Amino acid sequence: MKNRKLLSVLLPVAAMVGFILFNACKSGESTNNGKDSVATATPIADGGAGLKLPAGFNAAVIADKLGGTREIAVTPQGDIYVKLNRPKNGKGILFLHQEGDKATVKTGFGTFGGTGVYVKNGYLYASSDEEVFRYKLNTQNEVINPDKPEKIVTGLLSRREHEAKAITLDNDGNLYVNIGAYSNACQVEDRKKG
């Protein structure tokens, strides 16, 4: 749970500086008798995009210049699906394969931008600002037919402001879609450049 909270805080940072994969590397046995402990943030070595992480965690830039990365989903095989906020070269989802300390783009598909991407029970789920799609995966968690996603949700509200649709699924088959408020937390006037 702590790893998920850390990733949810750091992923927006990763989108700004390029694509970063975090490896949770807990060392040693817990000595706090099951109680939560607070880790001290320490600088990481070169290649970590200037992030400070708690002791026992590390970060490495494994791919960059992918486009406006919004979310990632990592398969059990270690391959990575990257969701772009806008399609790059006509592709809104990138499939990366990691070898050593670098990941290379193997393919791209999906003509829509957006935010959400999730791997669950033999499917890759991906969201645009107005819809949610799913792609059937093979046994290696690779998309079988990238040109024919199944549209499973449509008609989501998008007013071109705070429209991102992050997604998650639970173990009971439910899909959750985050729908941002057009007013951005009920501000009287929304933020602007400068």
Side-chain angles (χ1 to χ4, degrees):
M1 188 65 162
K2 286 182 184 178
N3 294 351
R4 283 188 180 177
K5 286 181 183 176
L6 178 64
L7 284 173
S8 69
V9 170
L10 293 176
L11 279 176
V13 175
M16 287 186 274
V17 297
F19 180 79
I20 297 175
L21 179 66
F22 296 94
N23 298 310
C25 300
K26 296 260 183 182
S27 58
E29 293 294 320
S30 174
T31 57
N32 63 359
N33 297 323
K35 296 179 183 175
D36 290 335
S37 62
V38 177
T40 305
T42 55
I44 58 176
D46 291 342
L51 298 175
K52 291 185 178 182
L53 300 174
F57 289 81
N58 65 42
V61 176
I62 61 169
D64 60 5
K65 299 178 183 164
L66 298 175
T69 301
R70 293 294 294 177
E71 289 187 0
I72 63 171
V74 181
T75 70
Q77 293 79 11
D79 293 320
I80 305 162
Y81 287 99
V82 176
K83 187 69 183 83
L84 302 178
N85 65 336
R86 288 182 195 84
K88 184 176 180 181
N89 300 321
K91 309 299 180 193
I93 304 169
L94 303 178
F95 179 70
L96 283 71
H97 179 71
Q98 185 176 351
E99 291 184 25
D101 61 353
K102 294 292 175 194
T104 56
V105 176
K106 290 299 191 185
T107 189
F109 56 94
T111 58
F112 54 94
T115 295
V117 65
Y118 205 90
V119 174
K120 184 89 170 179
N121 296 333
Y123 288 93
L124 173 73
Y125 294 81
S127 65
S128 71
D129 295 337
E130 298 171 346
E131 300 169 315
V132 179
F133 304 85
R134 73 178 185 175
Y135 297 82
K136 183 70 178 149
L137 301 173
N138 64 20
T139 58
Q140 294 300 306
N141 286 301
E142 300 164 334
V143 171
I144 293 172
N145 193 345
D147 296 327
K148 295 194 179 185
E150 177 184 359
K151 193 181 297 185
I152 60 172
V153 177
T154 189
L156 298 173
L157 183 63
S158 177
R159 296 181 184 167
R160 301 181 55 100
E161 192 169 338
H162 310 296
E163 69 278 357
K165 304 296 187 292
I167 58 175
T168 192
L169 289 93
D170 65 19
N171 290 327
D172 294 324
N174 297 304
L175 168 69
Y176 299 89
V177 181
N178 179 56
I179 299 179
Y182 183 63
S183 65
N184 193 27
C186 300
Q187 290 173 278
V188 174
E189 186 177 347
D190 201 7
R191 66 182 183 265
K192 297 177 182 158
K193 279 191 170 183

